[in-house]
Amino acid sequence: MPRFTIIVPVFKVQGFLRECIDSVLGQSYPDFEVIAVDDRSPDHCGAILDEYAERDERVRVLHLTENVGLGRARNAGLEQARGDYVLFLDSDDFYTPGLLAAVADRLKSAEDPDILVFDHVRTHWWGRGGPSDASTLLAAAGQDVFDLRQSPQYVHLFLVAWNKAYRRDFFQEHGLQYAPGLYEDAPVTYRSMVLAERIACLNRIGVEYRQRRQGAITKTPGRRHFDIFTQYEGLFAFLEEHDDLAWARPLLFERALDHMLFVIAREDRVTLADRGNFYREIRAFHERHCPEGFVPPDGDRGTEMRLLASAPYASYAALRASRGLRRLAGAGKRRTLGRASTAAQHTWYRAQSKLPLDPHLAVYSATHHAGVHGDPAAIHAKARELAPHIRGVWVVREDAVDSLPPGIDHVTPGSRRYRSVMARATYWVNNVNWPGALVKRPGQVHLHTHQGTPLKYMGADLLTKPGARHGFSVPKMLHRADRWDLSLVANRHSELVWDRAYPCHFTSLRTGSPRNDVLVDPAADHGAAVRARLGVPAGNTVVLYAPTRREYRRGGHVDRIDLARFAADLGAGHTLVVRLHPSLATGTTRGLGLADLHARGVLIDATDEPHVEDLMLASDVLVTDYSALMFDYANLDRPIVIHADDWGAYAASRGAYFDITAEAPGHVSRSYRELAWLFASETWRDEESAGLRAGFRERFCEFDDGRAAERVVRTLLLGEQMPERAATPVLPAPAAERAHSMR
């Protein structure tokens, strides 16, 4: 008997069907059966399903003799199900990699609950959407198991069939069946949720929910949308037969009204001609089923629900129209106020720019005002030590202020003090460009630190890569770069690239990278302390995996490695630490599996760690693809593995200054099988790896000797001569060895 039965009802989806079935059969967890129900589809779906059944014995096809609709097609599949758990998947949607393995693990940890709910992402024809409304609820559930009476907020989880795994015995014991017609998910979802004694959540995106441009029934206007009333009548008839479920009636009544009011407001569902009749049906439902003492929620939806008690359709239509007018008026008012505010800010900035420069004021920023880190942070820290008379002020976004270290003077972008600081500071220090509206005054010194050694194309070189520069203007970028006075470099390769990529008037300083000072000369217990904070078991080998973003994929994220499999293949005594590219830290990327694996202790998600240098010092080996992190990591003289399974696509879409697979800092894997072998055989740290690393380090770490920040402060802020570089840079001990010496 398989662990899972996946029921896929199929009707007129021949263009999407293979992607759907492939997403199931390609799962790393193999213990499942697929019951594909051909709902008398008039296209080639039936033949496609038969092909899959011939190739894979886990696929069974039911060819129905008549078209019965989505709900009853699911019921037909359910009758044939043999799995411990039943999952439903619509045939135009598809599973994300690793879902079934994650579901199996969560069911085990939750001791086989009645229902397991997981997340989804809406996938439009132009790309993925953002996080679902349920993501916060799923994250809050953690590893708890609950029922809806204890935790009524979970009634707000998305009411569909395909984001859940149902224990088959539970589903069949309660006679749960899908009714014909649209909105068939609602009564089954709500009945199962109120009947379930044990519900668990999995904070992982499991389904790519395709938003079709054409052909989706729920987005086709017509009388079929009146089916919603029949579906909810069936649900409330069930509730009225069960006195023990009286607690659930107000909860589900509010959800039913919310659903109906959502549908009536959608022009792609209820036509204008039908809207009056639809509203009257909602009022009739309200009159029949409103529980005594029902209190509508706050907000606009609650106002609409209060109207249902007495107001005719004309009142509802007037309310909706007035809201639309208020929204338009509000948008116009905001635009007017915005223009006035901007004008006032420019006036203030111009006035401040007429005041003398403050020779003792430096302003710092890093990575679009994301916080205190990178080269600017290292320079600021050294300035507080060597030049305390120079006051440093950081520009930090409002959402990053709470994470600032103690004692950091800061301003937020757009504030009055921000404009004053920018107008009067003698020193501007940043690792990206300042906004174009800022004017660098005579006497101000702009120090640009960059964000590491470049492998991929930058600046003007992106003119030949239109996909990589989508969304920003190269001429505007170069106009902002014209304000640079000084450009820091860690090696001659970077110096040549910046001269080519940014044809502007600046002077290169061969200082090394200030943020790498801590890598060259760390405190004795630095790496061990970070390992302890991350929860790495004593003596474990730490594998840091740091992939970069891809320009050939909308959103930038591509799953190159099955992280759960990699963590398992590394085996006992290893800890996998994952650091996503900062641009992927928000959105749906971590919900595709990383957050769940971190929560279950399979790996450590260190994407939010503010200082990547800490992670490098805590690790024993770096696995990356094309991240600039490799150039910094080489300072540690620890093994580096390049996973380059899509190098051709990456180089073609983004452009690269040299072939990293030919001039690598260590071994190169071109498939997951090769990557796993490198670690299983211990080849990742052999003599060949050390030799490759030595050559790479000599080329790209030539100016890093632990004194880069000092050079910048003494040269720029104190006007002293630049200190000479050390002849032989210090090599930190491997992280595991350093941790061992502390015990």
Side-chain angles (χ1 to χ4, degrees), residues 253-329:
F253 180 73
E254 186 273 335
R255 288 288 80 204
L257 293 185
D258 182 85
H259 195 180
M260 294 170 186
L261 290 167
F262 168 81
V263 171
I264 192 176
R266 296 288 298 267
E267 294 184 3
D268 57 354
R269 301 197 185 194
V270 182
T271 65
L272 287 174
D274 285 336
R275 199 158 291 177
N277 288 334
F278 198 94
Y279 179 80
R280 284 185 280 276
E281 290 287 348
I282 303 177
R283 286 194 64 195
F285 179 88
H286 181 281
E287 182 178 352
R288 285 193 297 272
H289 298 295
C290 183
E292 185 176 350
F294 172 71
V295 178
D298 295 332
D300 288 348
R301 186 68 90 218
T303 301
E304 293 177 5
M305 291 182 185
R306 293 184 187 92
L307 281 180
L308 293 170
S310 58
Y313 172 68
S315 299
Y316 168 80
L319 175 67
R320 297 285 304 183
S322 66
R323 280 191 194 146
L325 290 173
R326 283 202 304 272
R327 280 194 294 271
L328 289 173

Side-chain angles (χ1 to χ4, degrees), residues 453-470 472 493 497-498 500-501 548-552 625-628 630-631 646-661:
T453 295
L455 170 64
K456 59 189 178 185
Y457 276 7
M458 306 291 286
D461 289 327
L462 290 175
L463 288 171
T464 64
K465 300 293 179 182
R469 60 181 167 83
H470 178 72
F472 69 92
H493 163 80
V497 167
W498 300 141
R500 163 183 164 149
T548 194
R549 64 178 290 118
R550 304 298 199 273
E551 271 70 24
Y552 63 76
D625 33 43
Y626 323 116
S627 171
M630 72 178 84
F631 300 100
D646 66 338
W647 170 246
Y650 182 86
S653 60
R654 176 67 199 223
Y657 291 111
F658 64 94
D659 184 349
I660 191 61
T661 65

Side-chain angles (χ1 to χ4, degrees), residues 27-214:
Q27 292 285 309
S28 58
Y29 185 87
D31 190 13
F32 63 83
E33 64 175 359
V34 177
I35 299 179
V37 184
D38 173 17
D39 190 18
R40 196 67 177 172
S41 185
D43 55 11
H44 295 287
C45 284
I48 292 171
L49 293 176
D50 288 339
E51 289 178 20
Y52 277 99
E54 290 179 8
R55 295 201 307 263
D56 196 316
E57 62 182 8
R58 293 174 298 178
V59 178
R60 287 190 286 148
V61 183
L62 298 182
H63 293 285
L64 302 185
T65 57
E66 61 176 331
N67 176 249
V68 298
L70 179 60
R72 287 191 286 180
R74 287 180 183 149
N75 296 339
L78 188 62
E79 292 176 2
Q80 304 294 321
R82 299 174 299 182
D84 298 327
Y85 279 83
V86 174
L87 295 86
F88 300 97
L89 177 63
D90 287 356
S91 49
D92 52 354
D93 300 334
F94 52 97
Y95 281 160
T96 60
L99 170 68
L100 295 185
V103 169
D105 288 346
R106 183 68 185 102
L107 291 174
K108 182 178 179 180
S109 67
E111 299 179 344
D112 285 1
D114 298 322
I115 302 173
L116 175 67
V117 188
F118 46 87
D119 206 356
H120 71 281
V121 63
R122 294 176 185 267
T123 301
H124 303 270
W125 59 269
W126 64 84
R128 283 183 184 142
S132 74
D133 294 337
S135 59
T136 302
L137 277 174
L138 294 171
Q143 300 299 300
D144 292 343
V145 177
F146 56 88
D147 63 44
L148 202 61
R149 190 168 190 174
Q150 293 173 322
S151 304
Q153 67 272 27
Y154 286 94
V155 76
H156 291 274
L157 291 171
F158 200 32
L159 54 83
V160 291
W162 42 255
N163 66 346
K164 302 172 184 70
Y166 292 101
R167 186 165 55 81
R168 182 168 60 89
D169 290 347
F170 162 80
F171 207 85
Q172 294 178 334
E173 173 189 345
H174 291 287
L176 295 171
Q177 293 274 302
Y178 290 94
L182 292 187
Y183 305 105
E184 76 293 335
D185 287 348
V188 174
T189 296
Y190 287 140
R191 278 182 64 180
S192 65
M193 292 289 281
V194 299
L195 290 169
E197 296 178 0
R198 304 181 71 250
I199 302 171
C201 292
L202 173 63
N203 183 26
R204 182 190 180 109
I205 294 172
V207 173
E208 299 255 10
Y209 177 30
R210 191 187 302 275
Q211 307 297 289
R212 291 163 62 180
R213 292 187 70 241
Q214 297 178 355

